[in-house]
Amino acid sequence: MPDFTVQELLKTPLVEVRDVVCAGLCRGRSEVEQVARTQLVFPYRGTWLRHVAGDEVVADASQVLFFNAGERYQVSHPHAGGDASLVLVADEALLREVAPAELLREGAPLRFRMPRLRIDPRAQVQVALLRHGLREGTADALEGESLALTLMLRAIGPRTTHAAGSSHGRQRLVDRAKLVLTGDLARRWTLAEVAAVVGVSPVYLTQSFREVEGVPLYRYQLRLRLARALDLLGECEDVGMLGHQLGFSSHSHFTAAFQQAYGRTPSEFRELALQRRRPPAGR
């Protein structure tokens, strides 16, 4: 049985969209791999690590990762349960038009200077809408291309890019804290507990996380929970139970947080996802 599956959701001269689901059976590092064309990878379920040139990046639903053409890398899985990502491979001229010049290396082929960027809740919604529409076959090629372009503009456009900051040491510390939180999204951690696991004081962890990620630790955890909800709402029968399973204190807490982040309630998003599955009237 293969460790991962790749489903091609869209392929046009402008953009290719793939859904990559990994079972996470191999906890150690994978064989060395590389891609022929630069890819934008949006994790939407689970957590994994990408190892490049002696460094590693935590991949989760709060960011987009750049897999540069010809760049050698390995992947490992810190937690059981597998993971999934939406992969975009865009026409190079399109990518150069979308991405600010300071994000790109000089020369050809197109490559990014950094391994990742943070994305905001709107980009997370675009990932979910693009995946749902293409997977259920309700979005045709034109709509799929438009949704993919909107996602790219939101994730790497000049007005919305969020590069990680601070020193290498603080970045590694923050990555360790991320792995603690993503190991159990439903657990209601205290700041002292997370700090103790990673071996620093609560004050230092708080300062480091905000400096590196640009958001407090609790908001990062909230965004991961909400992103997981985006992934599951199309299949769930009980929205309130889903909120409880993801660690929200109540249905009202889940609804308020979801609506504040995404501009619609969980029930409204679920209905939207279900509508995309229904055939048009008259068929």
Side-chain angles (χ1 to χ4, degrees):
M1 175 180 177
D3 196 29
F4 65 92
T5 60
V6 180
Q7 181 182 7
E8 186 176 272
L9 301 180
L10 177 68
K11 184 174 184 180
T12 73
L14 194 64
V15 64
E16 299 175 19
V17 182
R18 305 171 191 141
D19 193 14
V20 180
V21 179
C22 181
L25 302 177
C26 178
R27 300 295 292 275
R29 293 194 184 192
S30 67
E31 297 294 329
V32 175
E33 304 172 58
Q34 62 181 4
V35 294
R37 298 172 60 193
T38 294
Q39 302 179 353
L40 277 62
V41 178
F42 296 88
Y44 65 85
R45 182 191 309 154
T47 307
W48 42 279
L49 294 174
R50 181 172 182 251
H51 309 269
V52 181
D55 201 4
E56 64 183 31
V57 173
V58 176
D60 59 45
S62 70
Q63 59 202 288
V64 56
L65 278 72
F66 304 117
F67 281 52
N68 288 327
E71 191 172 63
R72 296 164 64 85
Y73 67 90
Q74 294 172 287
V75 170
S76 63
H77 304 87
H79 307 306
D83 52 77
S85 301
L86 195 70
V87 178
L88 269 63
V89 186
D91 173 74
E92 184 168 318
L94 173 66
L95 268 183
R96 290 191 184 277
E97 186 175 354
V98 171
E102 60 268 21
L103 296 184
L104 303 177
R105 300 178 186 175
E106 295 182 359
L110 180 146
R111 298 177 183 175
F112 287 86
R113 294 182 181 273
M114 68 287 295
R116 67 173 184 119
L117 285 175
R118 296 194 305 274
I119 61 174
D120 62 13
R122 289 189 182 183
Q124 291 176 338
V125 168
Q126 289 297 326
V127 171
L129 292 177
L130 176 60
R131 186 170 62 87
H132 282 306
L134 293 177
R135 188 182 62 182
E136 302 303 329
T138 58
D140 60 14
L142 178 59
E143 183 179 356
E145 288 178 325
S146 299
L147 289 172
L149 178 57
T150 300
L151 173 57
M152 287 185 282
L153 286 167
R154 189 73 206 176
I156 66 175
R159 296 182 181 179
T160 55
T161 52
H162 306 278
S166 193
S167 66
H168 180 74
R170 285 202 171 190
Q171 178 69 67
R172 295 297 295 273
L173 166 65
V174 167
D175 282 348
R176 293 201 305 272
K178 285 182 177 182
L179 293 179
V180 172
L181 294 176
T182 56
D184 186 356
L185 280 181
R187 177 169 172 174
R188 297 176 185 175
W189 290 91
T190 67
L191 181 61
E193 287 173 338
V194 179
V197 173
V198 299
V200 297
S201 74
V203 172
Y204 188 74
L205 175 59
T206 299
Q207 293 173 334
S208 298
F209 206 96
R210 181 180 283 277
E211 181 179 332
V212 172
E213 289 299 312
V215 295
L217 191 70
Y218 78 89
R219 187 160 296 279
Y220 168 82
Q221 182 190 48
L222 175 64
R223 288 184 177 179
L224 289 187
R225 287 173 171 171
L226 292 174
R228 182 62 173 146
L230 281 175
D231 177 35
L232 295 175
L233 274 170
E235 287 79 32
C236 85
E237 297 294 333
D238 188 332
V239 172
M241 181 60 69
L242 176 61
H244 174 73
Q245 292 172 347
L246 291 175
F248 290 92
S249 58
S250 65
H251 177 62
S252 60
H253 178 209
F254 175 41
T255 298
F258 193 98
Q259 186 167 22
Q260 183 178 21
Y262 302 133
R264 52 173 60 92
T265 67
S267 296
E268 289 170 342
F269 185 87
R270 179 175 180 273
E271 181 61 25
L272 177 63
L274 291 176
Q275 285 177 355
R276 287 180 171 272
R277 294 184 177 186
R278 299 171 186 148
R283 290 191 179 181

